[in-house]
Amino acid sequence: MLENAIAMDAVNDVEPVTGLILSGGGARAAYQVGVLAGIADLLPAGAPNPFPVIVGTSAGAINAVKLASGALHFRTSIHQLTEFWQGFRSHQVLRSDWPGVSRQAARFLGKSLLGLGSQIPVALLDSSPLRGLLTERLDLEGIDAAIQARHLRAVAVTAFGYESGHAVTFYQGKGTIDPWLRHRRVGVPTQLTIDHLLASSAIPLLFAPVKIDQEYFGDGAVRQSAPISPALHLGANRVLVVGVSGNPRGVDANRDVRRVTTGGQPSLAQISGHLLNSTFIDSLESDIEVLERMNLLSHLLPSEQRIRQQGLAPVEVLVIAPSQPIDQIAARHRRELPPALRTFLRGPGATKTSGASVLSYLLFEAGYCSELIELGRYDAIAQGEQLKRFLRL
């Protein structure tokens, strides 16, 4: 994960380049907005964008591109992003009316079970409204303006190629950034479009894949083995990671915790929730652990040996993750779902407390998103001193 040429920057005492990592997670990405709002509150008035490198995956890709396109006016961009999420309704992201839900379910069953409609991408939900929303709210031309003004080095979004099996990072940045090719990880320079965002946020089976050039792409979190790596390829030598894990960071997973079990069979929603968590959360947390261990190894070596051993330069990392279980927050807001979606999700068990993990990814409603934003702001302020040291404030 710590790539050769990039890691050398930290050794040569160059000016720190801060990368921002915004992970995926559907509606959970509202938490990231709260963290960014808290960071904006910590910055002095008129402060420039503190993140020259911004990398996003899935819904985090939407946040990343919105932030990058407004990098010339960081605080204003955060305010717009907050209003964007606080005003969310499910119908802005997916068809949540009875005709829309019923029609998409019928198409899915016809395609999956009977092979009807060969040109119809497989998806349980119709996310076509999201294209119109992003087209209306995002000004992608702002990315080039921010790069030219040197308020931004690069922004990237990652999507998964269904044919190649590669996690492809599409990036827009300075012309001096070279593309990369690693095991199932590719970096491709491009002019980012709405299609890249839709592809990166297309949760498998739930949202339809998106065709870019000659290949269909889906959610970038699928098989993304090294989520932090793109930021290092793009020139970052320290990273702020905003996660959306349902498990508060810092809890000792190995301690003896008495678990309450019912002995009942898992619902489809419970199974799906674990699969989604595995896709969106586990690889990021594992990558952070690897990075921290590499940093420990690096500090044991003399500085001159770090230079000879390429890829061992330390990368400063700060992680902000939810201090409260997101599943529980989603369960409290489940009645906000439109009736058609609530009925559709009731069968698999997603509207029950035990299935709230799935709900936490799909609950694009103002009450839920607003609570996540407030939690993110609270967690950022709680780590204010660490953030100030990390950002050199």
Side-chain angles (χ1 to χ4, degrees):
M1 183 192 63
L2 304 182
E3 308 294 349
N4 296 346
I6 296 170
M8 293 294 292
D9 285 347
V11 177
N12 294 330
D13 295 325
V14 299
E15 181 179 353
V17 177
T18 306
L20 175 65
I21 311 293
L22 300 176
S23 60
R28 290 183 177 213
Y31 174 82
Q32 300 169 350
V33 178
V35 172
L36 293 171
I39 292 173
D41 290 341
L42 293 172
L43 295 174
N49 169 39
F51 305 111
V53 174
I54 305 174
V55 176
T57 303
S58 191
I62 297 174
N63 289 339
V65 168
K66 173 60 179 174
L67 188 63
S69 63
L72 289 176
H73 308 283
F74 180 76
R75 192 180 296 271
T76 299
S77 180
I78 297 299
H79 178 72
Q80 292 173 347
L81 195 55
T82 303
E83 287 187 335
F84 178 75
W85 279 90
Q86 286 179 333
F88 252 140
R89 296 292 186 276
S90 293
H91 70 267
Q92 296 176 296
V93 179
L94 48 89
R95 288 288 300 274
S96 58
D97 57 302
W98 282 106
V101 171
S102 302
R103 180 170 178 267
Q104 189 67 18
R107 293 175 68 183
F108 179 82
L109 292 175
K111 168 70 174 178
S112 303
L113 300 181
L114 303 177
L116 302 176
S118 59
Q119 300 303 315
I120 302 175
V122 178
L124 274 168
L125 300 172
D126 181 358
S127 60
S128 58
L130 181 59
R131 178 181 292 275
L133 178 66
L134 296 180
T135 301
E136 176 187 347
R137 298 293 186 90
L138 293 182
D139 177 18
L140 299 183
E141 293 181 0
I143 296 176
D144 274 338
I147 292 172
Q148 292 175 8
R150 299 191 176 184
H151 284 246
L152 182 71
R153 176 181 174 87
V155 57
V157 303
T158 300
F160 172 71
Y162 279 104
E163 284 194 83
S164 66
H166 291 162
V168 180
T169 298
F170 299 98
Y171 67 89
Q172 184 173 341
K174 297 172 62 176
T176 56
I177 301 175
D178 295 327
W180 62 89
L181 174 62
R182 297 293 185 270
H183 179 65
R184 294 196 179 278
R185 293 184 285 120
V186 182
V188 178
T190 190
Q191 194 80 14
L192 293 176
T193 67
I194 298 298
D195 281 342
H196 293 101
L197 302 185
L198 292 173
S200 181
S201 57
I203 301 175
L205 296 181
L206 295 179
F207 299 150
V210 177
K211 193 173 185 179
I212 299 176
D213 295 329
Q214 299 301 314
E215 186 174 9
Y216 276 96
F217 287 86
D219 199 295
V222 178
R223 300 190 73 175
Q224 188 181 29
S225 58
I228 298 175
S229 177
L232 305 183
H233 279 290
L234 295 173
N237 48 39
R238 58 178 184 171
V239 291
L240 172 64
V241 180
V242 184
V244 293
S245 171
N247 301 312
R249 183 171 168 80
V251 174
D252 185 359
N254 296 318
R255 68 182 181 183
D256 184 17
V257 178
R258 183 178 297 276
R259 300 186 180 275
V260 179
T261 57
T262 64
Q265 293 186 5
S267 66
L268 180 59
Q270 282 179 291
I271 296 172
S272 300
H274 286 298
L275 291 175
L276 287 172
N277 289 340
S278 176
T279 298
F280 288 106
I281 296 171
D282 291 355
S283 60
L284 177 61
E285 293 182 342
S286 297
D287 207 24
I288 292 170
E289 288 184 3
V290 171
L291 178 58
E292 291 173 340
R293 289 170 182 168
M294 293 295 288
N295 283 342
L296 288 175
L297 175 62
S298 175
H299 288 304
L300 295 176
L301 298 175
S303 57
E304 61 274 10
Q305 190 169 350
R306 294 180 204 164
I307 298 176
R308 290 197 301 270
Q309 298 293 326
Q310 293 184 343
L312 289 181
V315 177
E316 186 180 0
V317 59
L318 177 62
V319 181
I320 299 181
S323 58
Q324 299 178 23
I326 291 183
D327 294 1
Q328 295 179 13
I329 298 175
R332 293 199 297 268
H333 291 273
R334 59 180 178 266
R335 298 189 184 278
E336 294 180 18
L337 273 177
L341 270 181
R342 191 161 60 244
T343 301
F344 180 74
L345 295 173
R346 182 180 299 139
T351 57
K352 298 179 181 179
T353 302
S354 60
S357 184
V358 168
L359 193 65
S360 70
Y361 290 92
L362 298 176
L363 194 51
F364 293 97
E365 294 292 337
Y368 172 65
C369 292
S370 294
E371 185 166 347
L372 289 188
I373 289 172
E374 290 307 310
L375 176 62
R377 188 192 298 269
Y378 171 85
D379 289 344
I381 298 301
Q383 291 185 243
E385 292 304 315
Q386 291 173 275
L387 279 168
K388 288 180 180 178
R389 288 195 296 271
F390 181 81
L391 297 174
R392 310 294 196 265
L393 299 179

